[in-house]
Amino acid sequence: QAILDHNLKECVRQSAFMSLESAKSPGPVAYPWGLPLLLALEGSLFSFTLPVFKFFNILIFLLLVLAIYRLAQRFFNNAQALAVAAIFAFNPSFLHYANHVLSEIPFTLVSVWAFIAMESRDSSERSRFRSRLLTGALAFAAFTFRINGVFILAAATVKEFLPSPEQKGLRWPTWKALLLPYLPFFLLYAIWRAVFPGGGEGYLQLLRAVTVHSLVTNALAYPVSLFDFFTSGHYSFVTAILLGPLVLWGAFTSWRRTAHISVYGLLTLAMYIVWTYLQGYRFMLPVTPFLVILMMFGLAAFAQWKTPGKLAPRLALLVQYGIPILFLLVSSALVATGKLPQEKWT
């Protein structure tokens, strides 16, 4: 509403007073302005009502499923890529996100687009030039929703060192190749700061609340919260024990193609371990597309095991295609029986 009223400075002033004068700071002075700007745009085009925001939330989710499919195509065949996208499209845990007007889904969409841009380059210099510029611009767009969007730049840097299929050792890029994604990011950031003041300020003051207890608690909680994606929070530690090794194995066996994805996930996880306020699955949701991709690589490696009666490849296929089918059945049952989540908060 402050954006529509052209009253950003007063909004920041009030938010700063609340944050700085509270006995326990509820957050930074102002969160990045990406989500408020998106909501203001939706409200100005249609109406500033919750049904409008929820409609766009669903639309953004559908675009996210399509983007995940396009990213998965860069690593797998069409059938496997479709399975990856279906895990998201039919996931019961996403049914309630139509009720949540939050930054997770838009941030995840822009992040996946950025990784698609990293993979969308051929051998021509012009293609690589466009890919690097677009990656930097999309990293900034993600940053306007959540500050960990900046880690996309780190992923882009790692990507430049990854070898092509015909290379044995690491690639050694030029300084121009390494720095190019940073140029649009910081140029757009300078413009953004002038137009939208205060966004993202005050995060460092939250570090004063970091304790050994908070670090240990978060370090134990967030890796398990990642697997809430598969269980909607029910016995996620069991899923973490079963699927976690597959994810790690997939990251190890495919590092020549996916090390930049692993770096992005690890940096995000590290940041939230330091973040004092435990948010659980909410904060981990944007990492789940990459979690599933690494899991699929782990299943592909598992399928190569020599087992009696081709047991390993059959189990791998069962997990790859069984999970989305199971999700479809559960989601359909929830819709058919009218048991959709009815959260009262947005």
Side-chain angles (χ1 to χ4, degrees):
Q1 190 63 50
I3 294 174
L4 295 177
D5 294 340
H6 305 286
N7 196 21
L8 299 182
K9 291 184 178 180
E10 177 61 20
C11 177
V12 172
R13 187 191 68 79
Q14 293 179 8
S15 178
F17 177 81
M18 179 182 68
S19 178
L20 298 176
E21 299 301 324
S22 297
K24 184 178 181 181
S25 178
V29 169
Y31 287 95
W33 287 100
L35 181 62
L37 180 60
L38 177 63
L39 297 179
L41 179 62
E42 295 169 1
S44 62
L45 290 176
F46 297 93
S47 62
F48 205 83
T49 59
L50 198 55
V52 168
F53 298 149
K54 289 185 177 183
F55 171 81
F56 277 97
N57 220 33
I58 295 171
L59 178 60
I60 292 170
F61 174 71
L62 294 176
L63 291 174
L64 172 61
V65 171
L66 178 60
I68 290 170
Y69 173 71
R70 294 296 300 272
L71 178 61
Q73 278 185 310
R74 302 301 194 273
F75 302 105
F76 310 112
N77 61 42
N78 288 341
Q80 291 170 321
L82 186 61
V84 172
I87 288 174
F88 286 83
F90 303 136
N91 193 318
S93 71
F94 279 115
L95 288 175
H96 71 288
Y97 266 90
N99 261 3
H100 292 185
V101 184
L102 296 168
S103 61
E104 290 92 277
I105 303 300
F107 173 78
T108 308
L109 173 60
V110 180
S111 300
V112 171
W113 276 344
F115 279 86
I116 292 174
M118 289 184 215
E119 303 295 333
S120 300
R121 62 180 68 168
D122 54 34
S123 58
S124 71
E125 185 62 32
R126 177 177 294 184
S127 172
R128 292 195 293 268
F129 180 82
R130 288 197 304 262
S131 171
R132 289 161 183 148
L133 287 180
L134 183 57
T135 298
L138 288 169
F140 170 76
F143 175 79
T144 66
F145 287 101
R146 285 189 176 178
I147 60 168
N148 49 305
V150 73
F151 296 146
I152 294 173
L153 291 177
T157 299
V158 172
K159 172 69 176 174
E160 295 294 339
F161 288 92
L162 297 186
S164 59
E166 62 274 7
Q167 287 180 307
K168 293 184 178 180
L170 293 176
R171 177 189 296 153
W172 295 102
T174 64
W175 282 107
K176 176 184 175 182
L178 291 174
L179 295 177
L180 202 53
Y182 292 81
L183 296 181
F185 183 95
F186 286 107
L187 176 61
L188 291 170
Y189 177 75
I191 298 171
W192 182 264
R193 288 279 297 172
V195 178
F196 296 98
E201 289 185 358
Y203 280 102
L204 293 179
Q205 73 185 27
L206 299 178
L207 296 179
R208 292 179 298 184
V210 174
T211 63
V212 173
H213 179 266
S214 70
L215 291 174
V216 172
T217 300
N218 292 350
L220 294 175
Y222 277 121
V224 176
S225 295
L226 261 173
F227 293 88
D228 287 354
F229 171 80
F230 295 99
T231 64
S232 297
H234 302 289
Y235 302 104
S236 298
F237 69 93
V238 176
T239 313
I241 293 171
L242 294 175
L243 297 182
L246 274 177
V247 175
L248 296 175
W249 193 10
F252 176 75
T253 57
S254 67
W255 72 267
R256 293 169 66 92
R257 300 178 64 189
T258 63
H260 58 308
I261 288 176
S262 298
V263 166
Y264 173 73
L266 289 172
L267 287 174
T268 300
L269 183 62
M271 189 190 82
Y272 286 134
I273 288 174
V274 175
W275 183 267
T276 52
Y277 304 113
L278 183 64
Q279 294 288 324
Y281 178 56
R282 264 200 65 201
F283 279 7
M284 290 292 99
L285 190 153
V287 185
T288 53
F290 312 107
L291 174 80
V292 174
I293 286 173
L294 294 177
M295 183 190 75
M296 287 295 191
F297 274 112
L299 287 169
F302 175 71
Q304 301 302 315
W305 274 22
K306 294 181 179 180
T307 53
K310 296 183 178 180
L311 178 62
R314 288 176 179 174
L315 281 176
L317 284 175
L318 178 63
V319 175
Q320 283 179 344
Y321 299 104
I323 290 177
I325 291 172
L326 177 62
F327 282 177
L328 174 60
L329 293 175
V330 172
S331 295
S332 299
L334 289 174
V335 173
T337 56
K339 294 182 179 179
L340 290 175
Q342 300 292 327
E343 292 90 353
K344 294 181 180 181
W345 63 282
T346 56

